[in-house]
Amino acid sequence: MVRALDRKVLRDLRAHAGQAVAIAVLLACAVTTLVGSVATARALERSQARYYAEHRFAHVFAAARRAPEGIAARIAALPGVAEVETRVASSATVERPAGGPPASARILSLPPGGARVNVPYLRAGSGLDPDRTDQVLVSEGFALANQLRPGDRLGVVVNGKRQVLRIAGVALSPEFVYAIRPGDLFPDDRAYGILWTSRAGLAAAADLEGAFDEVAVLLAPGAREADVIAGIDRLLAPYGGLGAHGRDRNVSHRFLSDELAQLRAMAALVPAIFLGVAAFVVSVVLSRLVTTQRQQIGALEALGYGARAIALHYAKLVSIIALAGGALGAIGGIALGRAFARSYADFYRLPVLAFEGEAGVVVVAVLVALAAALAGSLGAVRRAVRIAPAEAMRPEPPASYRPTLLERAGLFRPLSPAARMIARDVARRPIRALLSAAGLACAVAILVVAWFAADAMDLILEQQLVVAQRQDLTVTFTDAVAPAGALELRSLPGVRAVEGFRAVPVTLRRGHRSYRTALTGVDPGADLTRLVTADGRVVPLPPAGLVLSAKLGELLHAAPGDRVEIEVLEGRRRTGPLTVALLVDDLLGVQATLSRRALADFLGEGDLLSGAQLSVDPAALDVVQARLRERPRVAGTTARAASVAAFRSLVAGFILAYMAALGALGAVIAAGVVYNAARVTWAERARELATLRVLGFTRAEIWRVLAGEIGVHAALGIPAGCALGLGFVGWTAARASTDLYRIPAEISAATFVRAALLILAATAAVLLAATRWVRRADLLDVLKSKE
Amino acid sequence: MTTTAQAVAGRAPVFAARGLEKVYRVGEIAVPALRGVDLDLYEGELVVLLGPSGSGKSTLLNVLGGLDVPTAGTVTWRDHDLANPDERLLTRYRRDHVGFVFQLYNLVPSLTARENVALAAEIAEHPLDPADALARVGLAARVDHFPSQLSGGEQQRVAIARAIVKRPDVLLCDEPTGALDVQTGRLVLSVLERVNRELGTTTVIITHNAAIAAMADRVISMRDGRIVREERNAHRAPPEALAW
């Protein structure tokens, strides 16, 4: 049998159904985001770990120019090395069967007996036949983007030699979860892919028979990576070793790990906001309930119910709401986690998705939601049990008001009495008004953060592609050529301008710090590629000295005036110092640039070009690319528009989903906060608002008093939310500063306006619904009741 | 009844009600509150509406004040049809012509006495100065006090000031002394009497206290939703002389 007091719990719930639902929805959002993001992060971590383990992702990588195969045994003998696999790796030009400009690829050899390190995951077709040298595996992204299928034939140029290979299968690799062409700013699956072929065939093409140029190592448990790296460097030094490194320098691994770190940060932040807001709403609603039920509480106490029974009674009410919200949130969280993990796995092409129910996370999240709701109810419950029965059964004395400080200063004088009612109420309960404003501020901040993602992408693209790199086509030559070889491209119809550049792979060293990148020589007056700072300023290239990305300066601890040791990784492998002239706080990748003449001097070579930037009439782009392909010395061309479009389409869907999800959450917070604030204000003011109606105030005038108070909350909350959003963004940007990209902590005015408008719209929707309460209120009932 | 009243007053009625009926629905039960009331009220009259609780007097007052509409019958104030349930017209009527005084004062706690009065003054066409209205009820010294700083009698006088500040044509008072002690009650009644005398406002006072009837021009008694008796006092007794 249900006890009488428990029936009261259920009746109270029914009587306050709207507010109960609003609280439950806020808690559900907290649990959904908590479970969803933790489950997503865990699923991805597990998937990454399992993928790496099952496909034996190497711990240490090293490259050399040409090392004899015998060195492999000596690497294997190093302490801590569990498995060694050498390979031949080369860049390749791939003819696209569908036509169009050729793509570039990285082509890797697989050992005849099958890979034991960095084992490709076969998605379609079959593995390589060990007896054949004319087969190739193609990375999945490249295959999909170029509509390649097993059985198709592919023209591949390696080391200037053209071969036709048959696609045996489509594969993935833990080494290339995020496949990006070295030096490129974005991944472009159409223009760049990974190929695997037989060791014998590739070694013949690359003139590396009996030798290797790359080695991958798996470490034994407990091995010290730094020792192994030092050992490999020692062994490969005589063979043009380029420096061994761990997974931390593998671009693909870094992208995935950075993403997971950001996901974990979000997993804490967003649910915390919801929990805080929900706890606040619970405290306001329950305070109000306890006030209206004052006499009932007194009567219960008079009947002999103790403080514990009364406290438990209200705790039950809150717990039912919290558990209902928690259950809803758990279902939503699992669904959200599954969908998010799925889309991440698709984005990174993870072949395994280890999503689990995460019962533990669900239980913890629901308990956290329950704890937040109970914490919010604490003050009201404590007040309820402290009321002395005799006092409780008398109606509450009229609320005490006194002139506020502002008003004594004369600030209220121009206000109408209705406006003074609002101002005095806000002044009488400033904490409640501030917390309500804080709830709205959180909603605004969430929206600002959500839309900032799109802002940041636009800004990076704008800065990098409209201001800094304005070429339409980048042409790379098979070998360095004299300037005349590049400048003659100007004669192609449709080409408007040609600017040559020289680029060499280098290791930059300063003290014990080093970084591998390309050193690029450009003409100081170059107009197509320019140095641009984060705030969009174009910086002229100094005639002498090195210009580094500010991030690279930070990594090397190098400031203007410092000398950096340069080690060229090709040709005669020059080494020597260069002085840093300037640091530029650019946004994408890290660059080392100097004037072409200074680079030629440093390299001790004549005036040579590695490639050229072309400005091309858009109508002639295809024709120009076709003509360029006919030239034997052109290794490849990259059309900027195509790569930007590919990047945008890659990221756009993702960002859109993210913005939609956060946008919906922000709107829910705003609506929840406003609904409860309006409900409570309405309940507290019902009597005086009815009096105003009797005095002859119209419904619209009454509604304005109600809306005015909420308007004050919004007026405080929205600017605060913009500031809070700016803070979140600064925090995110500071955390996301890597050598791969920097996020500018700049938010467009439109983002602030949109966030404010959405919150205002949610507020307006609730206030519009409140016109119904005003319309339905029974004047006579309100005036006759004592409270 | 109507003819007697007209004959005595010798004036045209401002309020005219005929066959007034009001039925409330409480859950599934229909509760009749007014069962065929005919009534005329004249300009400048002070009328006491007497009856036990449940007699229908509050319902009648609410209908006269435009807070409620009858289920059947007609009721007009000059050319205003008060049986028309158009909420906007009723609001307009209350705003322009009616002042209310309640048993429980119903002041806005966050506004001072002056501001509570100003609340009504601001939506009126030709209001008194709020300070003047408060002076008329003897509260010139308490204008900047909040309701929580005023006694019950003072709060009720603020409510009266708020009702008269807009120079209403009609002042409707529902048990204005119900929550007050005798002495304070007399003070409040004398304020109402003076307003009626000095401003000529048609005044209706509801009470279940028969002793108050002596201050009226006319006393109307109700029982079970009907008017059962109507008397005219030859002299209005001064409120100060009333005892209960």
Side-chain angles (χ1 to χ4, degrees), chain A residues 399-403 416-417 420-421 424 687-688 691-699 701 779-780 783, chain B residues 62 67-68 87 91 94-95 100 102 104 106 108-112 115 118-119 122-123 146 148 162 166:
Chain A
S400 280
Y401 285 84
R402 39 188 54 252
S416 70
R420 285 182 195 204
M421 285 168 64
R424 289 211 181 109
R687 191 181 188 83
E688 56 191 57
T691 307
L692 297 188
R693 288 279 288 133
V694 171
L695 288 180
F697 278 66
T698 61
R699 282 173 178 149
E701 285 164 337
L779 291 181
L780 300 174
L783 289 177
Chain B
N62 291 337
L67 289 175
D68 210 348
E87 182 53 47
T91 299
R94 290 199 301 268
R95 189 171 187 143
F100 280 99
F102 294 96
L104 293 171
N106 288 328
V108 177
S110 59
L111 296 180
T112 62
E115 290 161 353
L119 203 55
E122 281 175 10
I123 56 169
F146 283 92
S148 60
R162 187 175 64 181
K166 59 180 169 185

Side-chain angles (χ1 to χ4, degrees), chain A residues 98-368:
Chain A
S104 52
R106 193 162 149 71
I107 186 161
L108 307 169
S109 72
L110 288 177
R116 284 161 295 126
V117 180
N118 296 331
V119 181
Y121 177 99
L122 205 61
R123 291 280 260 196
S126 59
L128 298 177
D129 182 339
D131 299 329
R132 297 179 63 168
T133 58
D134 64 342
Q135 287 188 334
V136 69
L137 299 181
V138 181
S139 59
E140 188 182 55
F142 186 69
L144 290 176
N146 291 293
Q147 291 163 333
L148 301 175
R149 268 172 288 276
D152 288 354
R153 288 174 187 284
L154 209 56
V156 178
V157 180
V158 176
N159 202 15
K161 297 164 195 160
R162 183 173 183 278
Q163 281 176 280
V164 174
L165 302 175
R166 244 189 92 250
I167 298 174
V170 172
L172 295 169
S173 163
E175 201 181 347
F176 302 102
V177 170
Y178 186 84
I180 182 166
R181 175 163 44 188
D184 263 10
L185 301 173
F186 327 109
D188 180 357
D189 280 340
R190 241 165 35 91
Y192 180 71
I194 310 295
L195 306 179
W196 292 267
T197 188
S198 77
R199 175 79 178 251
L202 186 57
D207 297 328
L208 280 169
E209 279 136 326
F212 66 89
D213 59 359
E214 283 193 5
V215 60
V217 167
L218 279 173
L219 297 179
R224 276 173 49 95
E225 186 182 285
D227 293 348
V228 174
I229 288 175
I232 293 175
D233 279 348
R234 213 169 39 245
L235 289 170
L236 290 181
Y239 307 103
L242 298 177
H245 60 83
R247 284 178 178 175
D248 59 330
R249 287 258 298 272
N250 176 285
V251 171
S252 160
H253 173 74
R254 290 257 317 274
F255 256 97
L256 193 54
S257 303
D258 286 354
E259 189 78 48
L260 283 172
Q262 281 184 31
L263 202 58
R264 276 192 298 267
M266 289 303 273
L269 186 65
V270 175
I273 291 176
F274 273 108
L275 288 172
V277 171
F280 154 66
V281 171
V282 167
S283 85
V284 171
V285 169
L286 211 65
S287 289
R288 176 65 205 157
L289 191 65
V290 166
T291 305
T292 56
Q293 297 191 342
R294 205 180 138 83
Q295 282 157 299
Q296 299 178 29
I297 294 168
L300 288 173
E301 286 182 323
L303 287 176
Y305 282 96
R308 184 193 295 262
I310 289 168
L312 193 66
H313 169 68
Y314 286 104
K316 272 185 195 165
L317 183 75
V318 171
S319 302
I320 290 176
I321 298 172
L323 291 176
L328 197 69
I331 296 169
I334 294 293
L336 185 78
R338 195 183 294 278
F340 257 53
R342 181 77 265 162
S343 70
Y344 269 107
D346 287 349
F347 185 83
Y348 285 109
R349 301 190 188 290
L350 295 180
V352 284
L353 176 57
F355 189 85
E356 287 171 15
E358 303 290 359
V361 177
V362 167
V363 169
V364 169
V366 171
L367 287 180
V368 166

Side-chain angles (χ1 to χ4, degrees), chain A residues 462-722:
Chain A
E462 158 85 18
Q463 217 77 295
Q464 202 66 44
L465 301 172
V466 179
V467 187
Q469 307 199 345
R470 309 194 294 170
Q471 76 279 16
D472 299 305
L473 275 181
T474 300
V475 179
T476 46
F477 302 124
T478 49
D479 299 293
V481 300
L487 296 180
E488 63 91 21
L489 299 177
R490 179 77 183 81
S491 63
L492 288 174
V495 174
R496 293 169 177 155
V498 176
E499 287 176 3
F501 65 89
R502 178 78 172 109
V504 288
V506 293
T507 299
L508 304 167
R509 287 185 205 283
R510 187 171 143 72
H512 63 280
R513 299 184 169 83
S514 68
Y515 195 88
R516 248 185 90 181
T517 183
L519 181 59
T520 309
V522 298
D523 289 317
D527 191 46
L528 293 178
T529 55
R530 306 185 294 183
L531 299 170
V532 175
T533 61
D535 53 9
R537 226 162 14 90
V538 176
V539 181
L541 180 69
L546 196 56
V547 178
L548 299 181
S549 296
K551 186 71 196 178
L552 185 51
E554 182 191 318
L555 292 172
L556 293 171
H557 281 229
D562 289 345
R563 274 148 65 107
V564 174
E565 204 60 33
I566 309 290
E567 187 183 331
V568 180
L569 301 175
E570 68 168 33
R572 279 171 285 171
R573 303 179 71 90
R574 287 253 171 182
T575 60
L578 280 173
T579 303
V580 177
L582 193 65
L583 297 179
V584 175
D585 60 337
D586 50 11
L587 297 173
L588 267 183
V590 291
Q591 274 86 36
T593 314
L594 77 173
S595 83
R596 204 152 61 76
R597 174 180 289 273
L599 180 58
D601 289 347
F602 180 79
L603 295 172
E605 63 182 26
D607 197 2
L608 290 176
L609 297 176
S610 309
Q613 311 290 4
L614 270 57
S615 168
V616 180
D617 180 353
L621 197 61
D622 288 343
V623 181
V624 170
Q625 278 191 281
R627 297 281 296 276
L628 284 170
R629 237 175 296 139
E630 292 162 7
R631 293 172 188 244
R633 301 179 77 177
V634 169
T637 63
T638 314
R640 195 192 60 165
S643 69
V644 175
F647 178 71
R648 272 196 189 276
S649 71
L650 183 73
V651 186
F654 211 65
I655 286 191
L656 210 66
Y658 172 79
M659 286 189 344
L662 282 186
L665 293 180
V668 165
I669 291 186
V673 168
V674 170
Y675 176 78
N676 278 291
R679 258 287 176 222
V680 167
T681 302
W682 174 244
E684 284 176 352
R685 290 183 174 281
R687 191 181 188 83
E688 56 191 57
L689 294 181
T691 307
L692 297 188
R693 288 279 288 133
V694 171
L695 288 180
F697 278 66
T698 61
R699 282 173 178 149
E701 285 164 337
I702 298 301
W703 179 81
R704 279 206 288 276
V705 174
L706 183 65
E709 184 148 349
I710 304 303
V712 171
H713 298 177
L716 292 173
I718 288 175
C722 290

